[in-house]
Amino acid sequence: MHRHRRHRAAARTRRRSAPPLRFLLPSLVMVALMGLLLLRGLVTNEVFHDSRVAESVDKTTVPRHLLTGGPVVDSRHGRQRSYRPADRTVALTFDDGPDPVWTPRVLDILAKHHARATFFVTGAMVSRHPALVRRIVAEGHEVGVHTFDHPDLALQSDTRLSWELAQTQLALAGAAGIHSSLFRPPYSSRASALDDLTWPVVRKAGARGYVTAFIDTDTDDWKRPGVDAIVRAALPRHPGEGAVVLMHDSGGDRSQTVAALDRLMPLLEAEHYRFTTVSGSLGAPSAHTAVSGFPLWSGRVFIGFVSVSVALLPVLVALLAVVGGLVLARFALMLALSFRHVRRTRADGFSWGPPVTAPVTVLVPAYNERECIAHTVRSLARSDHPVEVVVVDDGSTDGTAAVVEALGLPGVRVVRQANAGKAAALDTGLAHASHDLVVMVDGDTVFEPSTVRELVQPFADPRIGAVAGNAKVGNRDTLIGAWQHIEYVMGFNLDRRMYDVLGCIPTIPGAVGAYRRSALAGVGGMSDDTLAEDTDVTMALHRAGWRIVYAEDARAWTEAPQSMDQLWSQRYRWSYGTMQAMWKHRHAVLERGTAGRFGRVGLPLVALFTVVAPLLAPLIDVFLLYGMVFVDLGRTLLAWLAVLAVQAVCAGYAFRLDRERPWHLVSLPIQQVVYRQLMYLVLLQSWITALTGGRLRWQKLRRTGEVEAPVAAV
């Protein structure tokens, strides 16, 4: 027995030590996303890019014979030798590629003249265009290393030099299955230009097994001096001598280079020159070495990730445009339609019809609400509208029912049942209700004296089957409470005004909502098919043809979650329950009348604004970090502040409509960032739960009972 207890304790410890799936998987997705963006920045020269170029210095450390020797320098194994191409041999070399536009044209001309050349490639371009490297090798040309992202190595550390070379070799292995021992430093020219800064680079490259190739003639084609000028500059300086010629197949418009190449080759062929690789011009074997095993597969994996990262950014930009459009569209709709709602409901002479004075049954489902239930019931007993209060104790274990009975308030009844869930408790309450108008309120919520009266006035219109009240956060003095206060005022209540005008309110809040008992009976009462019974029944009422409206003056004060864990649990249940309800009522899109209006207007808006937009919203913060680090700090911050300003305008308007003091909005910037990540995590886990067929159980939040009476807040 003791051994089994130890095993159980050890299992609990392992579960506690392992990160929960709700954090692990979304975190891995975000890390992978940032890693791919970092990789893309690397291969597009946005990461670690250094455009500094060293100025020429003295040549005191450079061996004299190298300064007057040939363009190819071998410093391997302590040697200090240089070599010249054979007579009437031209080694055409092309730097900075491969380029998807110009490299194929260069290759076509070389193939036309049956010539071979050497391409000094950058690892970044190889990573993005591996097929071109495969074509270069397949057509018999030579590939040399020109670093990964083209820094002046004379200004870089040994670590950076090693990384530049190794990363380029990794890209070559993945692209064409080769390594190359031929190297050309960026910004280099003739061997005679070696100095005390550049000679150490050659020695370090030699120590790593590289032969360094400089040039004899520089065409300066990158300056685009004209085709004739490029051809003249490419000709060997002395008739009949061999030469290593520098040209470029990347870095801008290379049309002049291509045209000059097509003219140069016939001129030299007429003088019996041959065109070959740098190694071939020296009579040496190819600089290529075939790669196999782990280096080959690691290179292929690297190229694969680069391909994904390069293709990913346009997708992310498109998704960012989608979420930006959704956010702006939602704000525009909320502002415009909320203004219309306010003008209508606050207009002089507006009324729903004759005053509703009929008594009301207030249902309070309660499960372990000992801390709060007394405040809730007392506030209901103080209503200025005739009420009957039915508290349904859903199998509480903390004496909730006893607390209510000890109050001895007139018109308050307690009904006990075994624990069966909130939906079942509400159905039990409906069975004990004495009146046709029913108000439902959570056991942690406090009403103002006028709340019930304001909530039932819309029932003067016989088409109205339910009314959503104005839920407000009572414990708003903490940071989390202030954030939720902003969310309730800006998100929920402004949303409800918008949906009211559109005739498709998706959710009557469980904290404060009113129903016709006959309307509820027509849809089968409260259902436990979903975890969001309030959203489920609201959608069912729409499909049954009832109109649902928002009563802004029917205020209820609720206790919001106290911690991020509690907030997570609440939002997870809401999110998953809403997704369940949307799926349950998906057929509304094909129905007619009020049901069809809800299905074709309400459901898409809920899907876009409640599921899609929050799931994509963290892209705003991803691109904020990406832009600050890799693009432009000032412009990125300006764009982010512009988005925040739009949110602030919307929030300020919402606070004005709800007659709330705006000072809580000082925490809006942090609230927006935190809530974006929270809703991303919540929605991602909700999708995982839905796709894996999981069943989320009801999660009871701990309450403190600190929301007592709304008088001071009002």
Side-chain angles (χ1 to χ4, degrees):
M1 181 180 293
H2 293 297
R3 184 168 61 253
H4 290 311
R5 287 177 180 172
R6 286 196 299 271
H7 287 325
R8 287 197 297 270
R12 286 194 297 269
T13 301
R14 286 194 298 271
R15 285 195 295 270
R16 284 195 297 268
S17 61
L21 182 63
R22 68 185 186 187
F23 294 124
L24 180 60
L25 185 58
S27 299
L28 289 176
V29 171
M30 292 298 287
V31 169
L33 185 62
M34 291 302 298
L36 288 171
L37 286 176
L38 177 64
L39 183 59
R40 184 200 175 274
L42 180 69
V43 300
T44 55
N45 292 334
E46 293 174 349
V47 181
F48 305 142
H49 181 61
D50 190 343
S51 58
R52 295 176 300 159
V53 180
E55 295 183 2
S56 180
V57 295
D58 293 336
K59 306 172 185 290
T60 57
T61 61
V62 185
R64 187 60 56 183
H65 67 279
L66 294 182
L67 295 174
T68 58
V72 180
V73 176
D74 184 0
S75 60
R76 297 174 297 176
H77 313 298
R79 293 193 292 259
Q80 298 177 354
R81 298 177 183 174
S82 64
Y83 302 90
R84 294 184 181 277
D87 290 343
R88 297 196 180 276
T89 301
V90 171
L92 294 171
T93 64
F94 299 90
D95 282 10
D96 301 345
D99 182 275
V101 175
W102 304 110
T103 302
R105 299 187 186 184
V106 169
L107 289 171
D108 289 342
I109 294 175
L110 293 173
K112 173 182 172 182
H113 294 279
H114 308 288
R116 300 290 181 267
T118 300
F119 291 80
F120 286 94
V121 297
T122 65
M125 297 296 283
V126 170
S127 304
R128 291 157 59 190
H129 310 293
L132 287 176
V133 180
R134 287 193 290 273
R135 179 182 171 184
I136 290 171
V137 174
E139 294 183 3
H141 304 290
E142 189 172 47
V143 174
V145 173
H146 198 44
T147 71
F148 192 84
D149 59 2
H150 207 272
D152 189 339
L153 295 178
L155 300 176
Q156 307 299 325
S157 65
D158 288 356
T159 301
R160 177 68 180 271
L161 184 148
S162 297
W163 182 88
E164 291 282 342
L165 298 176
Q167 202 68 18
T168 305
Q169 297 285 22
L170 178 67
L172 287 175
I178 63 167
H179 282 169
S180 175
S181 60
L182 197 59
F183 168 62
R184 173 174 286 167
Y187 307 105
S188 62
S189 58
R190 298 177 177 85
S192 60
L194 280 169
D195 58 27
D196 292 343
L197 283 178
T198 54
W199 169 239
V201 173
V202 176
R203 286 195 295 106
K204 292 171 185 175
R208 291 165 174 80
Y210 290 91
V211 174
T212 303
F214 295 101
I215 63 173
D216 287 304
T217 61
D218 187 351
T219 63
D220 281 333
D221 60 333
W222 60 275
K223 298 178 181 178
R224 302 187 64 201
V227 175
D228 291 339
I230 295 174
V231 171
R232 286 195 302 270
L235 296 173
R237 288 178 291 179
H238 303 288
E241 71 175 359
V244 177
V245 180
L246 171 61
M247 305 179 93
H248 295 80
D249 63 330
S250 183
D253 184 350
R254 294 290 171 257
S255 57
Q256 292 183 4
T257 302
V258 172
L261 182 64
D262 204 19
R263 286 174 50 183
L264 171 69
M265 298 185 73
L267 288 176
L268 293 177
E269 285 173 342
E271 297 181 16
H272 306 292
Y273 274 86
R274 67 186 184 97
F275 299 95
T276 186
T277 63
V278 170
S279 297
S281 71
L282 306 177
S286 171
H288 296 172
T289 302
V291 177
S292 61
F294 179 76
L296 175 64
W297 286 105
S298 60
R300 289 178 176 175
V301 169
F302 175 73
I303 294 295
F305 277 120
V306 169
S307 300
V308 172
S309 70
V310 171
L312 180 66
L313 188 66
V315 175
L316 293 181
V317 170
L319 291 177
L320 183 64
V322 169
V323 72
L326 288 176
V327 169
L328 293 177
R330 181 185 176 211
F331 286 160
L333 278 174
M334 285 196 302
L335 292 174
L337 297 182
S338 295
F339 179 72
R340 181 176 172 183
H341 180 270
V342 169
R343 285 192 63 183
R344 175 170 59 85
T345 58
R346 296 183 185 179
D348 293 339
F350 170 81
S351 72
W352 298 102
V356 176
T357 58
V360 174
T361 297
V362 181
L363 302 182
V364 187
Y367 173 70
N368 288 348
E369 300 284 4
R370 180 183 181 90
E371 294 85 0
C372 314
I373 195 67
H375 302 316
T376 299
V377 174
R378 285 196 186 100
S379 72
L380 296 173
R382 289 196 295 266
S383 295
D384 59 14
H385 191 92
V387 297
E388 167 199 44
V389 180
V390 178
V391 178
V392 182
D393 183 85
D394 186 35
S396 298
T397 59
D398 66 346
T400 295
V403 171
V404 177
E405 290 170 339
L407 296 175
L409 296 173
V412 177
R413 287 187 290 148
V414 176
V415 177
R416 290 179 170 87
Q417 69 171 31
N419 182 253
K422 186 178 180 181
L426 289 170
D427 279 335
T428 299
L430 286 171
H432 287 80
S434 305
H435 308 296
D436 183 54
L437 298 182
V438 177
V439 170
M440 296 182 183
V441 54
D442 287 341
D444 59 358
T445 302
V446 175
F447 274 18
E448 297 176 10
S450 62
T451 300
V452 174
R453 171 171 50 80
E454 295 288 351
L455 198 56
V456 300
Q457 293 311 304
F459 289 119
D461 185 341
R463 299 171 298 172
I464 293 175
V467 181
N470 186 346
K472 305 185 80 63
V473 175
N475 55 331
R476 59 182 71 172
D477 293 332
T478 64
L479 182 59
I480 295 178
W483 289 347
Q484 292 171 89
H485 173 46
I486 295 172
E487 181 187 28
Y488 273 55
V489 175
M490 177 182 172
F492 299 160
N493 293 335
L494 210 57
D495 262 353
R496 289 192 184 101
R497 297 178 198 273
M498 174 186 73
Y499 284 121
D500 187 340
V501 174
L502 295 174
C504 52
I505 292 178
T507 303
I508 297 173
V512 52
Y515 303 84
R516 289 189 192 274
R517 190 175 175 188
S518 56
L520 288 175
V523 298
M526 307 299 290
S527 171
D528 63 355
D529 291 342
T530 73
L531 287 173
E533 75 292 326
D534 44 8
T535 301
D536 188 355
V537 75
T538 305
M539 293 182 177
L541 290 172
H542 279 298
R543 296 183 67 188
W546 290 99
R547 184 182 169 200
I548 299 171
V549 297
Y550 172 58
E552 64 173 332
D553 292 329
R555 290 180 290 269
W557 300 80
T558 185
E559 182 177 334
Q562 296 281 326
S563 67
M564 291 302 292
D565 280 345
Q566 292 182 1
L567 182 61
W568 173 281
S569 298
Q570 183 191 70
R571 300 311 152 95
Y572 184 22
R573 176 174 60 81
W574 287 2
S575 172
Y576 187 60
T578 299
M579 292 167 62
Q580 289 177 310
M582 290 170 60
W583 180 253
K584 177 180 176 180
H585 296 285
R586 65 192 182 278
H587 298 298
V589 298
L590 303 176
E591 296 171 348
R592 297 180 178 178
T594 303
R597 178 181 178 81
F598 172 74
R600 289 183 289 276
V601 177
L603 278 180
L605 288 179
V606 173
L608 289 174
F609 295 154
T610 310
V611 178
V612 176
L615 190 61
L616 299 178
L619 285 174
I620 297 173
D621 305 304
V622 169
F623 274 94
L624 170 65
L625 293 175
Y626 183 82
M628 289 172 60
V629 176
F630 305 134
V631 185
D632 186 291
L633 176 62
R635 286 190 300 172
T636 300
L637 286 176
L638 188 62
W640 187 79
L641 290 174
V643 173
L644 185 62
V646 173
Q647 294 172 322
V649 168
C650 197
Y653 179 65
F655 269 61
R656 181 178 178 184
L657 291 185
D658 263 26
R659 303 180 180 92
E660 292 284 354
R661 297 185 181 93
W663 67 271
H664 282 106
L665 292 177
V666 297
S667 63
L668 178 66
I670 302 177
Q671 188 255 15
Q672 287 296 307
V673 173
V674 171
Y675 266 63
R676 273 198 292 269
Q677 313 317 317
L678 176 69
M679 290 310 300
Y680 158 74
L681 295 171
V682 165
L683 284 167
L684 193 57
Q685 189 178 4
S686 298
W687 277 111
I688 294 169
T689 305
L691 294 174
T692 57
R695 177 71 180 178
L696 181 65
R697 63 181 178 85
W698 185 275
Q699 295 168 322
K700 169 68 179 171
L701 301 182
R702 287 187 66 253
R703 303 297 188 181
T704 63
E706 65 182 56
V707 180
E708 296 187 17
V711 178
V714 174

